[in-house]
Amino acid sequence: MPQLAWQKSSFSGDENNNCLYLAAAPDGTLRLRESDTPHEIIATTPAPLGHLIRAVGAGRWRGSGTAR
């Protein structure tokens, strides 16, 4: 796997190491990881991630794995 250019989320600023990082892979997918478990990487594409971000922003996400 090529080196990814990880970017820290602008909402991550916690001193308790609770940071989310995002990188674009050469195949067009997006990769996400947390600072406390950097070897666990989630791959997704822009559309599903955009849906999740909009659902969270609109308060439609419960955090239990299901949307309202």
Side-chain angles (χ1 to χ4, degrees), residues 15-53:
E15 296 94 30
N16 295 324
N17 213 24
N18 295 325
C19 300
L20 178 69
Y21 290 86
L22 177 76
D27 64 0
T29 61
L30 300 173
R31 309 295 168 91
L32 293 106
R33 71 178 188 189
E34 292 186 81
S35 56
D36 56 346
T37 53
H39 298 321
E40 295 179 21
I41 299 171
I42 298 170
T44 187
T45 56
L49 181 58
H51 291 300
L52 174 64
I53 291 169

Side-chain angles (χ1 to χ4, degrees), residues 2 9-10 12 14 25-26 43 49 53 56-57:
S9 167
S10 60
S12 298
D14 195 319
L49 181 58
I53 291 169
V56 170

